[in-house]
Amino acid sequence: MASEHVARIRDAHENLARYTFEPAPLQRGYSNRVIRIDVGKNSMEILPVTQQMKDLWIGGKGFDLWLMLQEIDSGTRWDSPENPICFSSGPLGGTTSFPGAGKTLVTAISPLTDSIMDCNVGGYLGPYLKFAGFDALEIVGKASDEVVVVIDGSTGEMSIDRAPLESIDSHLLAEELTEMYAVNEHDKRNVTVVSAGRAADHVRMGVLNVSFYDWRRGIPRFKQAGRGGVGTVFRDKKIKALVVKAPESPPPWKVAENKVASHFASDKLDLAAERTDREAVRAIVRKWNCDPEYAIEMMQDVQDLERCISMAAVDEVSLRTGVSKARLYHIATFYKAFSLEPRGETIIQVCVGTTCHVKGAARLLETFERELDISEGGTTPDGRFSLDAVACLGCCSLAPVVKLGDEVIGNVQSKQIARMMKKQRSN
Amino acid sequence: MASACKVKAGDLGKIADRVNASFGRYKAMLMVCTGTACVSARSFSIRDRLALKIAEKGIADDYLVVGTGCNGFCAVGPIIVVQPEGVFYQRVTDKDLDEILEQHLVGGKPVERLLYEDPATGKVHTRMDEIEFFGKQQLIALRNKGIIDPENIDHYIARGGYAALGKVLEAGDPEAVIREVIDSGIRGRGGGGFPAGIKWQSGRRAAGERGEVPYVVCNADEGDPGAYMDRSIIETDPHTVLEGMLIGAFALGAREGFIYIRKEYPLALVRLEKAIEQARSYGFLGPDVLGSGFAFDVSIHRGAGAFVCGESTALMASMSGRVGEPRAKYVHNVEYGYRDRPTVLNNVETWATIPVIMDRGASWFASIGTGDVAGDPWAGSSGTKAFSLVGNIANTGLVEVPMGITLREIIFDIGGGIPNGRSFKAVQTGGPSGGCIPASKLDLEIDFDSLSEAGSMMGSGGLIVMDDQTCMVDVARYFIDFLVDESCGKCTPCREGLFALKRILERICRGEGEEGDVQFLEELCGTIGATSLCQLGATAVNPVMSTLRYFREEYEEHIRDHRCRAGVCKELITYRIVADPCTGCLACLKPCPTQAITGEKKKVHVIDEEKCIKCGICREVCTFDAVEVV
């Protein structure tokens, strides 16, 4: 898209309302804030999320319905100014850990049924709203002219702009606005545009298009909130588009110790990306002839090389074998050999096979946990030791058995462990 | 095409003669066990030092040091056996080597202090075959254990290796091979006990009907905790597995074979890789096996640590580079297996047994074991079975015994009974999918069917002996815990049902059991067993069912009296120092991680129950048996 064109339509914007906000840290999946935007009165306000909402109205749909109930009464029709369009993604929104956690729930009174309907949509809206610091968004009122509503998490600004020159059609509009609000090509990934398109002006079943930027094709693509005609309501409010921009690095997600979720926390991500030797990973993939059947073998070699499966390594393996990243993560989290977080230099394996169990392996494991001050599966903060309980090392005749790195030690007693670790530490 | 073949079927005898003649030139061969257990006791260093010392002494022409696979008697490793007379040295260390060299090799007198002394009778045995542990064994799959160097293909050939393959290829009749395997009655050694010959026949038929080339696969993903037969076979005699697979491949018309091996077995993997390389260079694997025109090769897949991958459909998913989730088996692997082609999967031990069957004939094999399998392989259990005999038992190790032997013979005659004056409580067979068999069933003649009837199963062959200090509720909890971890999560009964079982068992172990728990456990087990997708879930309830069947009173004690008679369940026990034996030596004060023990020199020490975390270290360090569990 020509930048002069974008500059021209941006210059035609006239600001109607502006509001600045602070970022909100996420706590257990909530930012504890909701935005209410009235495009009729050009006002914006931040509402708190109450404990009652979390207890009784949990989830994207719950929050949306709660917000709707605050706005409507029995006389509210689909084209009443007070009919709110509500967007929310629930406490798991934006995590990568569960299927559907990227979805956004949208509710409004439907032009088709004249009652409350909900629909859900992919795209980046819900997650980016969350990253910007809001659990839900509701839009009420009717604008007098065509407007664009912008929530920018990177600058902490919200605005309503009169926007006369933008295209109405979604495929053009999303390109224009993505270009307008991204500072560079890389930043386009942080922009999502919600729009309805020309047809929604004429029919009652208009859909909402939620964009996500496809960096491989270099264009924004869309997911649809298609049920019930919410696009028609959107256009009825004379909104051309809603733009939400995520902060440059999203807040680290603290969904209770979920392995995959924590892997995507931005601080770890940057570290891992720097450390990964992509050339070495490529050599591993070549060694197995880029054969997808040997993906597990490749990942084992990567694990040996990096002591973890980094995002960059998954990226390389996926690119060169054609195996999807989702499948590689499935493998990485299914098999015990893999870890998404770096393991220690020395891995201490306490065998808890049946024979060792009968001979008191549980006590050994506890002693190691105390001695190293980590729990089973953990790694010491200095990165030297990881502690694992393994099912059977096949040395049952030596039970109970502990493996320190490559060394198998048989007939271990709890009392030896302190000395054993002292020796290891001094090495 | 240029033939890479170097050895023809007729050359095998010549190689064997040549190698045997070269062995004959030595006055003695020193067999150093280099199985995993002995290696962890530094037997590689013993092997190398011994060879070095012999070379230094200038007697290398008379004495040969051979690093062998697992000897089996792991309890007393590292082991050196001096052949041909069979003198058995146990618990050898680097320091003992000079003595063996001087006194035995040069002086001709065995080193008495390194010989095995029977703990029961106090008798010292010089020769290996005098030792009771070896007495009742009959070796088929493990026939070369402790005799050959697993990393040298010539040793295997010298023992008649690859001769069965030569015979089969010469006869050139695949149907006859399958008939022979069916007639032998051999049933799958991996645990299921499905007749191998019938499996082969179905595979061959499916391949013929669809005109597809089938695959053979060797399952070396020995995941059962407490079982290490397969590892030992590969570490001891990798070529027998390859030969078995070659014979199977010929019978089925397969051209490619795969071995799926656990990553926890690094030594076995190295030996297997070496064996494949050597077999290729000899032309046993490759485009023209033994000059017969039959083409076959083997490649290895490494597992990545998932118990469920021992299940055949999960294993094949894993070989295809996917997660190891099983599928429903209404479509059999012999029809649509790996890459959707007919696939015959057998366990390591089964493959290792095949060459012997082909060599000595089906009727010989069928005559060993139980039942009459001549007409119907399901009618009994023929042949021998390897077991790993471990747990609270004097002679831990690997044994191979004929089917139909009683548990008593294995545990008390071969295994030497329960050590430390304890009494026998139960023996756990079949891994996490098996069950616990009580003392009243010690005279059970073990085979596939009798163990199933007793509520357990053959499994891959772990025999874990438990003494009276083992809590059966805790054992059930332990297995369920393991299986909850290893359930792939695909089907609900296994994923959720086992989790529910775990929670109830944990509650019982904490002393918070409720009336009705036992009945509920039984009900839940029934549902899980009946509705799970694969055998992992279907058999997962066996540990609970069998302990409920034989040790119900222990469950009731835990629930009703909040008592753990074995002194295992932490919440139900307290540690106490008994005044009489305590000498006030202060030894237990320092190791206690929570400083729960107070006392002065020469005064009786006291454990503060509030602080005590029941780690048991005080009991370990006390040399006067003054710490008791109540």
Side-chain angles (χ1 to χ4, degrees), chain A residues 35-54:
Chain A
I35 336 171
R36 182 178 185 278
I37 295 177
D38 189 329
V39 290
K41 295 182 186 148
N42 289 328
S43 71
M44 287 177 264
E45 58 181 321
I46 292 181
L47 310 170
V49 169
T50 60
Q51 189 59 41
Q52 188 201 23
M53 282 169 74
K54 291 189 214 167

Side-chain angles (χ1 to χ4, degrees), chain B residues 282-412:
Chain B
Y282 272 51
F284 297 148
L285 292 172
D288 186 18
V289 175
L290 283 172
S292 66
F294 165 60
F296 182 69
D297 211 337
V298 170
S299 40
I300 297 175
H301 272 278
R302 280 181 297 165
F307 176 69
V308 71
C309 287
E311 201 275 346
S312 60
T313 55
L315 183 145
M316 285 171 206
S318 181
M319 283 201 338
S320 316
R322 297 198 304 270
V323 298
E325 284 177 349
R327 59 167 169 78
K329 275 208 237 174
Y330 44 81
V331 179
H332 296 291
N333 284 322
V334 289
E335 285 153 16
Y336 292 91
Y338 182 50
R339 295 176 183 159
D340 277 341
R341 291 215 212 145
T343 305
V344 166
L345 175 113
N346 281 121
N347 160 272
V348 171
E349 198 184 330
T350 313
W351 288 122
T353 309
I354 296 293
V356 189
I357 293 176
M358 299 321 293
D359 192 36
R360 304 191 59 172
S363 52
W364 169 80
F365 190 81
S367 70
I368 308 165
T370 62
D372 180 15
V373 293
D376 174 14
W378 288 108
S381 306
S382 59
T384 57
K385 177 80 190 80
F387 291 100
S388 62
L389 189 56
V390 291
N392 303 120
I393 189 157
N395 302 337
T396 54
L398 196 70
V399 301
E400 185 172 355
V401 289
M403 297 274 193
I405 193 170
T406 64
L407 282 169
R408 190 183 297 280
E409 281 175 276
I410 299 183
I411 295 166
F412 290 93

